[in-house]
Amino acid sequence: MILKNGLKLLAVAVTASAVTGCIDWSDKNTPLPPGDVKNIIMMIGDGMGPQQVGMLQEYAKRAPNSVYQGELTAMEKFSQKGVVGFSSTGPEASIVVDSACSASQLATGVSSGSEMIGLDYVGNPVETILEKAKKMGKATGLVSDTRITHATPASFAAHQPHRSMENEIAADMVENSVDVMLSGGLRYFIPQAVNTDADVKQAITDLVNEPSMKIKSKRKDDRNLLAEAQADGYQLAFNLDQMESANGDKLLGLFHYSAMMDGIVHSATKEDQDRAQPTLREMTLKALDILSKDPQGFFLMVEGGQIDWAAHYNDAGTMLHELLKFDEAVAAVYEWVQGRKDTLVVITADHETGGFGFSYSRNDIPGPQSLEGEAFQEVDYHPNYNFGSLNILDKLHAQSMSFENIWYKAGGDLYGTLPTAEAIMTAFNEHSEFDITLAEAQDIVKQEENKYHVSGHPYLDTAMYPNFEDFEEFYVYGEYDHLDLIGRKIGKQQNIVWGTGTHTHTPVMVIAYGPVNVVKNYSNLMHHTDVGKTTIQALKRKL
Ligand code: MG
Ligand code: ZN
């Protein structure tokens, strides 16, 4: 009798594990039952390695004045109802990936090469998941807070030998007829004549009808991709109001000449409904609104693209605000999927940026403290090092301007004009609860002879270069790297270290939410080509 029951239980356990891939799903709150996938939403935090996710988690849960006020991050909510995996990101023939190659691998499921857009590693175009979805009759969308032509969104809907070819990428994307595209990057969509012909400029200005928009073209031809899009049935939007009132099936929204607002501006203005630019969350909701009208379902990619940029500048305060911005978009998707069983959500990153970490140090070691526990009745509690006060999380959040904007405010630009040490010290100290001294500011603006000069290189063709004491080879963006010198100077006050001004190989997190038979495949140590393949497989599952 006992044996019989035991066998029956064993049989149930075996059946359950065959369905669920040996995961004990009883530990999960409410995994979705097995089923098919109609909609796929891929969310990419650019540069959002595990350290960056960890920073958001530390801030959300443990900052004394966290804006989450006891709520979980949207990423944590998804992880509780889905699975978490890890994925390596490297290109076919190198160790470290850039955003173009990484997104190409996610979009196609095959190995790509550095800085390539939508190609395999020898350079052949590969059909992307977005293109496959389109062929299946699904609606498609791309949303990013950078430029729509930037590496991450581009890799889903363009095929070009180099990520810098944003004019060609813009044309590919319009020709690909992606139903919803919301981001920045107007300068690649308007004819070069706007720069020389007042009538052409006026016509574009009237069409855009947003006074804050800079009307200037980067094109080398007179293609008017806005007109081409309109002829293909797109509505156009250039500010929040225009976006909200769009009511068709196809929408091209370009909300800035170049990149959209940074995370700190976002935090400061997101409640203001008179804003010209929509937030990442608002763009995501609009895309879901339009795409979900398609009875055959949709594929949508949403990028938080400036986490990477803040990390490239070693700007931890701005990076935190970028993570908050991205998590608000994730929260929008989380709310949207409630009650649905037909949608796969994959949240990941393309790589880690900055070699970032909170770290313990010998700076400012706290003094002895009395503790109430038994072990400390006779002795004081006195750790040997500074392990980082939780107040640092609030102080990072209190930063009120990005390093880039602080640099400009101090009178610098990133094309040869340096601010004075006094000006950068004053501007920085005004916008941060951490402080730099005049001696530190002098180091921040210091330059030396460029030891790695490359003629014709976009960043390395300069005689002088910001002066790094160590790891200088990993600071590769010329003038921009002065910003990293700020980050490295204040690191000791933030208990923060940065290993590089570029990317690291660190495997990134993959959170997958959806029908259990689909998401179980992401609970693995993978490579991004596997994430791409698995997601393409899911797309092909018929209802
Ligand atoms: Mg990107
Ligand atoms: Zn990057």
Side-chain angles (χ1 to χ4, degrees):
M1 184 98 154
I2 290 164
L3 185 65
K4 205 174 162 189
N5 274 351
L7 277 176
K8 194 175 168 194
L9 277 173
L10 188 63
V12 168
V14 167
T15 311
S17 73
V19 171
T20 61
C22 301
I23 300 164
D24 180 8
W25 289 99
S26 61
D27 276 350
K28 290 288 170 184
N29 295 344
T30 47
L32 296 182
D36 288 325
V37 170
K38 180 180 175 191
N39 312 308
I40 295 182
I41 305 169
M42 184 174 268
M43 306 192 75
I44 301 177
D46 198 316
M48 190 181 70
Q51 301 97 307
Q52 282 78 11
V53 176
M55 178 200 228
L56 179 66
Q57 291 298 113
E58 291 296 341
Y59 172 78
K61 297 171 103 89
R62 305 212 293 157
N65 298 300
S66 167
V67 295
Y68 283 87
Q69 299 182 316
E71 276 273 313
L72 300 179
T73 64
M75 279 192 269
E76 184 170 354
K77 288 181 188 171
F78 266 125
S79 76
Q80 286 192 345
K81 295 194 174 183
V83 304
V84 181
F86 249 65
S87 187
S88 298
T89 60
E92 172 70 18
S94 315
I95 300 168
V96 184
V97 83
D98 81 293
S99 296
C101 175
S102 189
S104 295
Q105 295 183 148
L106 282 171
T108 65
V110 307
S111 268
S112 188
S114 300
E115 304 181 348
M116 293 181 188
I117 299 287
L119 307 178
D120 68 14
Y121 69 93
V122 297
N124 292 309
V126 185
E127 192 174 53
T128 68
I129 186 167
L130 182 146
E131 291 163 334
K132 287 179 195 295
K134 191 162 199 72
K135 256 191 195 166
M136 292 170 68
K138 293 179 188 293
T140 56
L142 295 170
V143 169
S144 171
D145 58 0
T146 61
R147 300 188 289 271
I148 197 69
T149 51
H150 210 262
T152 309
S155 298
F156 285 82
H159 305 276
Q160 293 293 342
H162 197 267
R163 55 184 289 170
S164 62
M165 299 169 66
E166 294 188 58
N167 287 322
E168 291 78 5
I169 288 167
D172 274 4
M173 294 174 101
V174 170
E175 284 161 20
N176 231 327
S177 205
V178 181
D179 298 291
V180 177
M181 292 190 277
L182 305 174
S183 188
L186 177 70
R187 63 191 187 181
Y188 301 107
F189 288 78
I190 55 181
Q192 65 173 353
V194 298
N195 302 341
T196 51
D197 184 325
D199 292 340
V200 177
K201 184 172 184 178
Q202 192 57 50
I204 296 288
T205 304
D206 292 344
L207 176 70
V208 167
N209 194 24
E210 166 48 49
S212 67
M213 186 78 81
K214 178 172 170 183
I215 306 292
K216 194 163 178 263
S217 174
K218 285 263 184 183
R219 291 202 69 82
K220 306 282 175 244
D221 60 26
D222 275 319
R223 272 184 85 170
N224 181 345
L225 295 177
L226 300 181
E228 289 182 33
Q230 279 181 312
D232 187 32
Y234 281 92
Q235 288 180 300
L236 304 177
F238 304 97
N239 61 29
L240 173 60
D241 276 354
Q242 295 170 15
M243 181 184 88
E244 292 301 359
S245 55
N247 55 8
D249 298 335
K250 290 171 82 79
L251 177 60
L252 173 61
L254 298 167
F255 306 106
H256 197 273
Y257 159 77
S258 180
M260 294 184 70
M261 61 180 142
D262 69 39
I264 290 181
V265 174
H266 170 267
S267 292
T269 62
K270 64 181 185 175
E271 306 298 343
D272 171 11
Q273 289 308 303
D274 295 330
R275 243 180 308 114
Q277 291 186 35
T279 63
L280 188 61
R281 177 186 168 87
E282 288 162 345
M283 292 191 290
T284 301
L285 285 169
K286 185 67 184 184
L288 289 170
D289 242 22
I290 297 174
L291 299 175
S292 61
K293 287 191 272 181
D294 191 313
Q296 286 165 289
F298 64 84
F299 172 82
L300 169 65
M301 193 288 298
V302 177
E303 182 197 23
Q306 299 195 40
I307 303 164
D308 174 69
W309 296 2
H312 273 292
Y313 294 155
N314 293 181
D315 181 350
T318 303
M319 189 170 83
L320 174 59
H321 283 271
E322 296 297 345
L323 288 158
L324 293 171
K325 188 210 290 177
F326 181 63
D327 198 55
E328 287 187 22
V330 176
V333 171
Y334 186 79
E335 290 149 25
W336 190 84
V337 298
Q338 292 314 302
R340 305 192 69 108
K341 293 180 166 52
D342 58 359
T343 301
L344 169 66
V345 181
V346 179
I347 306 165
T348 188
D350 48 0
H351 51 73
E352 193 274 339
T353 305
F356 163 81
F358 286 105
S359 194
Y360 70 84
S361 79
R362 60 189 160 107
N363 176 57
D364 202 12
I365 298 168
Q369 260 181 284
S370 53
L371 273 191
E372 62 190 22
E374 215 177 304
F376 294 100
Q377 295 310 301
E378 308 291 328
V379 290
D380 278 341
Y381 172 61
H382 195 189
N384 278 334
Y385 299 107
N386 173 359
F387 287 87
S389 151
L390 296 177
N391 292 322
I392 287 171
L393 299 163
D394 278 338
K395 286 180 159 191
L396 286 166
H397 185 262
Q399 188 177 319
S400 58
M401 196 179 268
S402 68
F403 287 4
E404 185 179 4
N405 287 336
I406 287 171
W407 190 258
Y408 275 85
K409 184 173 176 183
D413 63 27
L414 293 163
Y415 308 98
T417 309
L418 293 172
T420 64
E422 288 80 4
I424 195 68
M425 178 187 74
T426 306
F428 179 82
N429 292 347
E430 190 185 333
H431 290 285
S432 170
E433 294 196 3
F434 306 101
D435 281 313
I436 51 175
T437 65
L438 187 58
E440 287 170 334
Q442 281 158 350
D443 288 342
I444 288 165
V445 297
K446 202 160 138 196
Q447 297 198 332
E448 60 174 3
E449 194 187 331
N450 180 6
K451 297 174 209 159
Y452 297 91
H453 182 273
V454 181
S455 293
H457 190 282
Y459 296 104
L460 302 178
D461 189 4
T462 57
M464 302 297 285
Y465 211 83
N467 184 21
F468 283 80
E469 297 298 327
D470 60 358
F471 289 103
E472 61 187 345
E473 293 80 6
F474 298 92
Y475 290 87
V476 302
Y477 295 109
E479 294 271 315
Y480 288 81
D481 296 340
H482 283 293
L483 307 179
D484 300 78
L485 289 169
I486 303 175
R488 295 179 72 90
K489 280 293 176 203
I490 56 167
K492 66 182 182 201
Q493 296 172 48
Q494 300 174 328
N495 279 81
I496 281 174
V497 293
W498 295 95
T500 179
T502 69
H503 303 166
T504 69
H505 84 292
T506 313
V508 298
M509 204 184 63
V510 182
I511 300 173
Y513 166 91
V516 62
N517 51 331
V518 175
V519 299
K520 69 180 170 62
N521 299 311
Y522 294 90
S523 177
N524 271 317
L525 286 180
M526 298 167 279
H527 183 268
H528 262 16
T529 51
D530 303 321
V531 176
K533 278 194 206 95
T534 303
T535 312
I536 288 168
Q537 263 328 104
L539 180 75
K540 290 178 177 165
R541 294 182 72 97
K542 289 280 182 323
L543 274 171

